[in-house]
Structures are given as C-alpha cells and as structure tokens.
Coordinates of all heavy atoms in Angstrom, one line a residue:
P1 N 9.4 -18.8 -12.1 CA 10.6 -18.2 -12.8 C 10.9 -16.9 -12.0 O 10.1 -16.3 -11.3 CB 10.1 -17.9 -14.2 CG 8.6 -17.6 -14.0 CD 8.2 -18.6 -13.0
H2 N 12.2 -16.5 -12.2 CA 12.6 -15.3 -11.5 C 12.0 -14.1 -12.3 O 11.9 -14.1 -13.5 CB 14.2 -15.2 -11.6 CG 14.7 -14.1 -10.7 ND1 14.8 -12.8 -11.1 CD2 15.2 -14.1 -9.5 CE1 15.3 -12.0 -10.1 NE2 15.5 -12.8 -9.1
P3 N 11.5 -13.1 -11.6 CA 10.8 -12.0 -12.2 C 11.7 -11.1 -13.1 O 11.2 -10.3 -13.9 CB 10.2 -11.2 -11.1 CG 11.1 -11.5 -9.9 CD 11.5 -12.9 -10.1
G4 N 13.0 -11.2 -13.0 CA 13.9 -10.4 -13.8 C 14.3 -9.1 -13.0 O 13.7 -8.8 -12.0
L5 N 15.4 -8.5 -13.5 CA 16.0 -7.4 -12.8 C 15.0 -6.2 -12.7 O 14.9 -5.6 -11.6 CB 17.2 -6.9 -13.5 CG 17.9 -5.7 -12.9 CD1 18.4 -6.0 -11.5 CD2 19.1 -5.3 -13.8
I6 N 14.3 -5.8 -13.7 CA 13.4 -4.6 -13.7 C 12.3 -4.8 -12.7 O 12.1 -4.0 -11.8 CB 12.9 -4.3 -15.1 CG1 14.0 -4.1 -16.1 CG2 12.0 -3.1 -15.0 CD1 14.9 -2.9 -15.7
I7 N 11.6 -5.9 -12.8 CA 10.4 -6.2 -11.9 C 10.9 -6.3 -10.5 O 10.3 -5.8 -9.5 CB 9.7 -7.5 -12.3 CG1 9.0 -7.2 -13.7 CG2 8.6 -7.8 -11.3 CD1 8.3 -8.5 -14.2
T8 N 12.1 -6.9 -10.3 CA 12.6 -7.1 -8.9 C 12.9 -5.7 -8.3 O 12.6 -5.5 -7.2 CB 13.9 -7.9 -9.0 OG1 13.6 -9.2 -9.4 CG2 14.5 -8.0 -7.6
L9 N 13.6 -4.9 -9.1 CA 13.9 -3.5 -8.5 C 12.7 -2.7 -8.3 O 12.5 -2.0 -7.3 CB 14.8 -2.8 -9.5 CG 16.3 -3.4 -9.6 CD1 17.1 -2.6 -10.7 CD2 17.0 -3.3 -8.3
V10 N 11.7 -2.7 -9.3 CA 10.5 -1.9 -9.1 C 9.7 -2.4 -7.9 O 9.2 -1.7 -7.1 CB 9.6 -2.0 -10.4 CG1 8.3 -1.3 -10.2 CG2 10.4 -1.2 -11.5
G11 N 9.6 -3.8 -7.8 CA 8.8 -4.4 -6.7 C 9.4 -4.1 -5.4 O 8.8 -3.7 -4.4
F12 N 10.8 -4.2 -5.3 CA 11.5 -4.0 -4.0 C 11.3 -2.6 -3.6 O 10.9 -2.3 -2.5 CB 12.9 -4.4 -4.2 CG 13.8 -4.0 -3.0 CD1 13.7 -4.6 -1.8 CD2 14.7 -2.9 -3.1 CE1 14.4 -4.2 -0.7 CE2 15.4 -2.5 -2.0 CZ 15.3 -3.2 -0.8
Y13 N 11.7 -1.6 -4.5 CA 11.7 -0.2 -4.0 C 10.3 0.3 -3.9 O 10.0 1.2 -3.0 CB 12.5 0.6 -5.0 CG 14.0 0.5 -4.9 CD1 14.7 -0.2 -5.8 CD2 14.6 1.0 -3.8 CE1 16.1 -0.4 -5.6 CE2 16.0 0.8 -3.6 CZ 16.7 0.1 -4.5 OH 18.1 0.0 -4.3
G14 N 9.4 -0.2 -4.7 CA 8.0 0.2 -4.5 C 7.4 -0.2 -3.1 O 6.8 0.6 -2.4
L15 N 7.7 -1.5 -2.8 CA 7.2 -2.0 -1.5 C 8.0 -1.4 -0.3 O 7.4 -1.2 0.8 CB 7.3 -3.5 -1.4 CG 6.3 -4.3 -2.3 CD1 6.6 -5.7 -2.4 CD2 4.9 -4.1 -1.8
L16 N 9.3 -1.1 -0.5 CA 10.1 -0.4 0.5 C 9.5 1.0 0.7 O 9.4 1.4 1.9 CB 11.5 -0.3 0.0 CG 12.5 0.3 1.0 CD1 12.6 -0.6 2.3 CD2 13.9 0.4 0.4
Y17 N 9.2 1.7 -0.3 CA 8.6 3.0 -0.2 C 7.2 2.9 0.6 O 7.0 3.7 1.5 CB 8.4 3.7 -1.5 CG 7.6 5.0 -1.5 CD1 8.3 6.2 -1.1 CD2 6.3 5.0 -1.8 CE1 7.6 7.4 -1.1 CE2 5.6 6.2 -1.8 CZ 6.2 7.4 -1.4 OH 5.6 8.6 -1.4
L18 N 6.4 2.0 0.2 CA 5.1 1.8 0.9 C 5.3 1.5 2.4 O 4.6 2.0 3.2 CB 4.4 0.6 0.2 CG 3.0 0.3 0.8 CD1 2.0 1.4 0.7 CD2 2.4 -1.0 0.1
T19 N 6.3 0.7 2.7 CA 6.6 0.3 4.1 C 7.0 1.6 4.9 O 6.5 1.8 6.0 CB 7.7 -0.7 4.2 OG1 7.3 -1.9 3.5 CG2 8.0 -1.1 5.6
H20 N 7.8 2.4 4.3 CA 8.2 3.6 5.0 C 7.0 4.6 5.2 O 6.9 5.2 6.2 CB 9.3 4.3 4.2 CG 10.7 3.8 4.5 ND1 11.6 4.4 5.4 CD2 11.4 2.7 4.0 CE1 12.7 3.7 5.4 NE2 12.6 2.7 4.6
K21 N 6.2 4.7 4.2 CA 5.0 5.6 4.3 C 4.0 5.1 5.3 O 3.3 5.9 5.9 CB 4.3 5.7 2.9 CG 5.1 6.4 1.9 CD 5.3 7.9 2.2 CE 4.0 8.6 2.0 NZ 4.2 10.1 2.2
T22 N 3.9 3.8 5.5 CA 2.9 3.3 6.5 C 3.5 2.8 7.8 O 2.8 2.1 8.6 CB 2.2 2.1 5.8 OG1 3.1 1.1 5.4 CG2 1.4 2.5 4.5
S23 N 4.8 3.1 8.0 CA 5.5 2.5 9.2 C 4.9 3.0 10.5 O 5.2 2.3 11.5 CB 7.0 2.9 9.1 OG 7.2 4.3 9.1
N24 N 4.2 4.0 10.5 CA 3.6 4.5 11.8 C 2.2 4.1 12.0 O 1.5 4.7 12.9 CB 3.8 6.1 11.9 CG 5.2 6.5 12.0 OD1 6.0 6.0 12.8 ND2 5.6 7.5 11.2
S25 N 1.7 3.2 11.2 CA 0.4 2.7 11.3 C 0.3 1.2 11.3 O 1.3 0.5 11.0 CB -0.5 3.3 10.2 OG -0.1 2.8 9.0
S26 N -0.8 0.6 11.6 CA -1.0 -0.9 11.5 C -0.8 -1.4 10.1 O -0.4 -2.5 9.9 CB -2.3 -1.3 12.0 OG -3.4 -0.7 11.3
A27 N -1.0 -0.6 9.1 CA -0.8 -1.0 7.7 C 0.7 -1.3 7.4 O 1.0 -2.0 6.5 CB -1.3 0.1 6.8
G28 N 1.6 -0.7 8.3 CA 3.0 -0.9 8.1 C 3.3 -2.4 8.2 O 4.3 -2.9 7.6
L29 N 2.6 -3.1 9.1 CA 2.9 -4.5 9.3 C 2.5 -5.3 8.0 O 3.3 -6.2 7.6 CB 2.0 -5.1 10.5 CG 2.5 -4.6 11.9 CD1 1.5 -5.1 12.9 CD2 3.9 -5.1 12.2
L30 N 1.4 -5.0 7.4 CA 1.1 -5.6 6.1 C 2.1 -5.3 5.0 O 2.5 -6.2 4.2 CB -0.3 -5.1 5.6 CG -1.5 -5.5 6.5 CD1 -2.8 -4.9 6.0 CD2 -1.6 -7.0 6.7
S31 N 2.6 -4.1 5.0 CA 3.6 -3.6 4.0 C 4.9 -4.4 4.2 O 5.5 -4.8 3.2 CB 3.8 -2.1 4.1 OG 2.7 -1.4 3.9
V32 N 5.3 -4.6 5.5 CA 6.6 -5.2 5.7 C 6.5 -6.7 5.3 O 7.5 -7.3 4.8 CB 7.1 -5.0 7.1 CG1 6.3 -5.9 8.1 CG2 8.6 -5.4 7.3
F33 N 5.4 -7.3 5.5 CA 5.2 -8.7 5.2 C 5.1 -8.9 3.6 O 5.6 -9.8 3.1 CB 4.0 -9.4 5.8 CG 4.3 -9.9 7.2 CD1 3.9 -9.1 8.3 CD2 4.9 -11.1 7.4 CE1 4.2 -9.6 9.6 CE2 5.2 -11.5 8.7 CZ 4.8 -10.8 9.8
A34 N 4.5 -7.9 3.0 CA 4.4 -7.9 1.5 C 5.9 -7.7 0.9 O 6.2 -8.5 0.0 CB 3.6 -6.7 1.0
L35 N 6.7 -6.9 1.5 CA 8.0 -6.7 1.1 C 8.9 -7.9 1.3 O 9.5 -8.4 0.3 CB 8.7 -5.5 1.8 CG 10.2 -5.3 1.6 CD1 10.4 -4.9 0.1 CD2 10.7 -4.1 2.5
T36 N 8.8 -8.5 2.5 CA 9.7 -9.6 2.7 C 9.2 -10.9 2.0 O 10.0 -11.7 1.6 CB 9.7 -9.9 4.3 OG1 8.4 -10.1 4.8 CG2 10.4 -8.8 5.0
G37 N 7.9 -11.0 1.8 CA 7.3 -12.1 1.0 C 7.8 -12.0 -0.4 O 8.2 -13.0 -1.1
F38 N 7.8 -10.8 -1.0 CA 8.3 -10.6 -2.4 C 9.7 -10.9 -2.5 O 10.1 -11.6 -3.5 CB 8.0 -9.1 -2.8 CG 8.6 -8.8 -4.2 CD1 7.9 -9.2 -5.3 CD2 9.8 -8.1 -4.3 CE1 8.4 -8.9 -6.6 CE2 10.3 -7.8 -5.6 CZ 9.6 -8.2 -6.7
M39 N 10.5 -10.6 -1.5 CA 11.9 -10.9 -1.5 C 12.2 -12.4 -1.4 O 13.1 -13.0 -2.0 CB 12.7 -10.2 -0.4 CG 12.7 -8.6 -0.6 SD 13.4 -7.7 0.8 CE 15.2 -8.1 0.4

C-alpha cells in the first residue's frame, strides 16, 4: 500500500537531509540509495 502523505513527506525529507549530511563521505552513497529506493 502507499504509505500516505505524512509518511512520504517525512521519509523523503528525512532521507534527503541524511543524504546532504553524508554527501562528503562514503555513507552518502548508502543514503542516496536509501532515498531513491524509498521513492
């Protein structure tokens, strides 16, 4: 099922924030795949 608007927004912006915070390290690759996988 679709997670709904609230979970979608929280998940997207939370993972987007995590990706920005880790973008200068190898963890950034895991973050970007987590974000795009969630989308």
Side-chain angles (χ1 to χ4, degrees):
H2 195 276
L5 179 62
I6 301 300
I7 294 178
T8 297
L9 290 177
V10 172
F12 170 72
Y13 284 107
L15 290 170
L16 184 64
Y17 174 78
L18 179 63
T19 302
H20 277 264
K21 291 294 290 185
T22 60
S23 61
N24 292 313
S25 66
S26 57
L29 291 173
L30 296 177
S31 298
V32 75
F33 276 101
L35 172 62
T36 55
F38 176 76
M39 295 177 73

